[in-house]
Amino acid sequence: MKPATPPQETPRTYRVKSFGCQMNVYDGERMAELLATRGIAPAPEGEEADLVVLNTCHIREKAAEKVYSDIGRMVKAGAAAGRTPMIAVAGCVAQAEGEEIMARAPAVSMVVGPQAYHRLPEMLDRAVAGERSSDTDMPAIAKFAALPARKRIGPTAFLTVQEGCDKFCTYCVVPYTRGAEISRPYSDLTGEAVKLVEAGARELTLLGQNVNAWRGEDEAGRVIGLAGLIRALARVDGLERIRYTTSHPADMDDELIAAHGEVAKLMPYLHLPVQSGSDRVLKAMNRSHTVESYLKLLERFRAARPDIALSGDFIVGFPGESEAEFEATLSLVDEVRYAQAFSFKYSARPGTPAAAMDGQVPREVMEDRLKRLQQRLGRDQLAFNQASVGTTCEVLVERRGKHPGQWLGKSPWLQSVWFEADAKIGDLVSVELVQAGPVSLEGKVLELALT
Ligand code: SAH
Ligand code: SF4
Ligand code: F3S
């Protein structure tokens, strides 16, 4: 039996705080839409919400401790103000530590995992009646059918096509928090894509922990992979751009590589995490690719689409990583010349095999390695941006800039570009890239494309 709390008023406003990856952000958006169907409105900026959803991430350090301290802060502020918000903990910490959260944090009314949040409205009813509840079941993608359709959205939208991970990299919690790899059915996805475009999307980013492991059956009953899905989505009128993330080297196939050379709406950008430039470390990580097989894959993408922007993820300080092994990662970076990358200090995750391995690397060593790696990655990102100066491209306008008449959007290579023009959100504007910095570029308008 869950201990009861006194009945609470039905919340009128909510705030969803998402802390994790793009899939976590997507889940946060969908939870917000679910709450909206109950007539609960987003809390105005700067105001306390009646219901706070902490949509947590468990991938690296201190995620769980941060949840408890956030809850503690809310309880304290609530006591001072005479009114504590109703609190829900969602996301991957909820999945991994649901029981413990229920036991340790009596102020929490609801704990809901990433595969169960479609049940949030029922849990809310129970919370209003004073009953705490926790749901961390993993029903096979039942949630998607139970979620409301999206109405008005911005020009860029996420579409989750695949969830879960069977790869079990030895450092990673995702297979435990997100469950086994599952693909959403083809017709659900093509249907949802059309609705998203009707609601205002011009760019879709297909999401999955292993997005390129997506498999489905098309209208003719043929088994297709992600490339087939991308080709089908490219036929949706009004959809101008398609992206996907995150891919795993082991799931790459010829069709996806070919699609980059053939499908105009598929943007020239590939996020393909490598993690390390040392084969020994890769093996200990259970990554299933080698440095050579990874580089060969990239070569094939570059052959299909020579201007493709490459991005990756790196971990420094995996248990047992020697200085020479770390330097092998630097050499790999020198060879690839990434347009963008994400790099992290290894963080021991409870229950993962790597957490119990010998040779945990001291913090100062990790910090030093991360700094050196990020210097090189920063150098390459700036060089990539500088090399695009003088070229012309389309920018999809996402929001206003700081100054009047200034707009911000993304180039096909996912660079942030700002420019001045008489434009509006959702326009595709042709610009010449005239100046480059490490994280953004300035564009000069050539003409407004037909919108
Ligand atoms: N499925 C994707 C994303 C996983 S999480 C993939 O395989 O690439 C995103 C990134 O977080 C990973 O690529 C990895 O670089 C990093 N990461 C995951 N677990 C980590 C850990 N325990 N410590 C540090 N970084 C980690
Ligand atoms: Fe984690 Fe590896 Fe799965 Fe990516 S592929 S989610 S790093 S286990
Ligand atoms: Fe974090 Fe879960 Fe995403 S652990 S990175 S929110 S899959």
Side-chain angles (χ1 to χ4, degrees):
M1 273 304 286
K2 307 272 187 303
T5 55
Q8 304 187 43
E9 273 178 41
T10 304
R12 281 170 296 118
T13 59
Y14 70 81
R15 176 162 295 122
V16 177
K17 296 185 182 174
S18 293
F19 299 95
C21 59
Q22 285 146 317
M23 300 202 63
N24 174 265
V25 172
Y26 172 92
D27 292 342
E29 289 168 1
R30 311 283 349 233
M31 284 189 271
E33 288 153 4
L34 265 177
L35 296 171
T37 63
R38 284 309 192 87
I40 310 176
E45 193 119 353
E47 270 180 41
E48 297 296 318
D50 298 337
L51 165 64
V52 175
V53 180
L54 298 175
N55 188 24
T56 59
C57 171
H58 202 32
I59 201 85
R60 281 174 291 275
E61 305 266 350
K62 302 203 175 93
E65 293 93 286
K66 197 174 168 326
V67 175
Y68 293 112
S69 63
D70 276 359
I71 295 167
R73 208 172 310 123
M74 278 192 273
V75 170
K76 214 164 149 203
R83 170 177 154 273
T84 306
M86 186 183 275
I87 301 172
V89 180
C92 290
V93 177
Q95 188 67 42
E97 299 199 2
E99 300 263 307
E100 200 183 326
I101 295 168
M102 289 299 272
R104 256 180 73 178
V108 172
S109 300
M110 296 167 262
V111 167
V112 63
Q115 306 300 352
Y117 62 78
H118 54 293
R119 299 190 185 132
L120 206 50
E122 306 155 42
M123 296 172 77
L124 182 70
D125 289 341
R126 277 189 256 153
V128 169
E131 194 192 331
R132 305 174 74 207
S133 54
S134 162
D135 192 339
T136 50
D137 281 358
M138 290 199 178
I141 57 171
K143 71 171 180 234
F144 292 104
L147 293 173
R150 284 181 274 179
K151 295 196 186 80
R152 282 292 326 150
I153 55 171
T156 63
F158 291 142
L159 174 58
T160 292
V161 305
Q162 181 277 342
E163 285 204 272
C165 182
D166 298 339
K167 304 294 189 293
F168 291 93
C169 301
T170 52
Y171 50 81
C172 185
V173 290
V174 172
Y176 312 98
T177 60
R178 292 275 171 166
E181 288 177 12
I182 294 168
S183 297
R184 292 183 64 196
Y186 171 85
S187 57
D188 290 9
L189 295 171
T190 48
E192 195 169 322
V194 169
K195 290 206 182 102
L196 288 170
V197 171
E198 285 168 2
R202 306 198 74 190
E203 172 180 299
L204 289 182
T205 301
L206 312 183
L207 294 183
Q209 267 92 22
N210 289 278
V211 70
N212 59 335
W214 184 88
R215 289 287 172 278
E217 262 182 38
D218 67 6
E219 303 85 344
R222 278 183 304 244
V223 174
I224 56 168
L226 187 66
L229 178 64
I230 287 169
R231 285 179 194 273
L233 296 179
R235 293 193 289 270
V236 174
D237 283 339
L239 179 62
E240 305 295 342
R241 291 176 159 193
I242 303 170
R243 304 181 184 277
Y244 60 93
T245 198
T246 297
S247 298
H248 192 289
D251 294 318
M252 233 12 130
D253 60 22
D254 296 346
E255 286 78 20
L256 191 56
I257 297 172
H260 272 279
E262 294 165 7
V263 180
K265 291 182 184 180
L266 181 56
M267 292 294 102
Y269 186 93
L270 173 70
H271 180 63
L272 193 63
V274 62
Q275 314 299 357
S276 166
S278 148
D279 282 341
R280 192 205 62 81
V281 174
L282 288 172
K283 195 152 190 275
M285 287 177 163
N286 192 30
R287 279 296 292 182
S288 81
H289 58 83
T290 60
V291 172
E292 196 190 343
S293 69
Y294 177 81
L295 289 173
K296 282 217 166 103
L297 262 179
L298 295 189
E299 236 170 68
R300 293 171 62 207
F301 273 94
R302 277 185 164 147
R305 181 79 205 224
D307 67 337
I308 198 161
L310 297 172
S311 157
D313 288 348
F314 297 87
I315 296 175
V316 301
F318 184 80
E321 184 189 67
S322 67
E323 171 63 21
E325 286 165 343
F326 167 68
E327 283 169 12
T329 302
L330 296 180
S331 307
L332 172 74
V333 168
D334 286 347
E335 187 155 352
V336 175
R337 303 277 164 164
Y338 290 92
Q340 240 189 49
F342 303 88
S343 48
F344 313 101
K345 281 178 281 190
Y346 167 74
S347 163
R349 304 285 74 208
T352 59
M357 284 180 189
D358 292 337
Q360 301 286 325
V361 175
R363 175 156 298 276
E364 322 77 75
V365 175
M366 285 206 258
E367 275 162 7
D368 171 63
R369 288 182 187 169
L370 187 65
K371 212 160 102 198
R372 286 155 67 200
L373 174 60
Q374 290 185 339
Q375 262 163 8
R376 299 222 186 178
L377 293 169
R379 167 201 73 187
D380 293 349
Q381 184 166 337
L382 179 62
F384 183 87
N385 289 346
Q386 283 169 338
S388 37
V389 170
T391 60
T392 298
C393 68
E394 282 190 332
V395 174
L396 177 60
V397 182
E398 292 179 17
R399 57 192 167 90
R400 285 178 186 280
K402 268 191 238 132
H403 305 292
Q406 218 179 54
W407 297 93
L408 285 169
K410 294 276 174 6
S411 76
W413 306 281
L414 209 63
Q415 297 151 300
S416 289
V417 179
W418 67 270
F419 60 89
E420 280 170 12
D422 183 12
K424 62 181 186 307
I425 290 172
D427 281 347
L428 271 173
V429 179
S430 288
V431 304
E432 185 191 336
L433 300 172
V434 291
Q435 210 172 306
V439 292
S440 68
L441 291 106
E442 181 187 345
K444 210 162 170 279
V445 175
L446 297 177
E447 56 177 292
L448 276 186
L450 286 182
T451 55

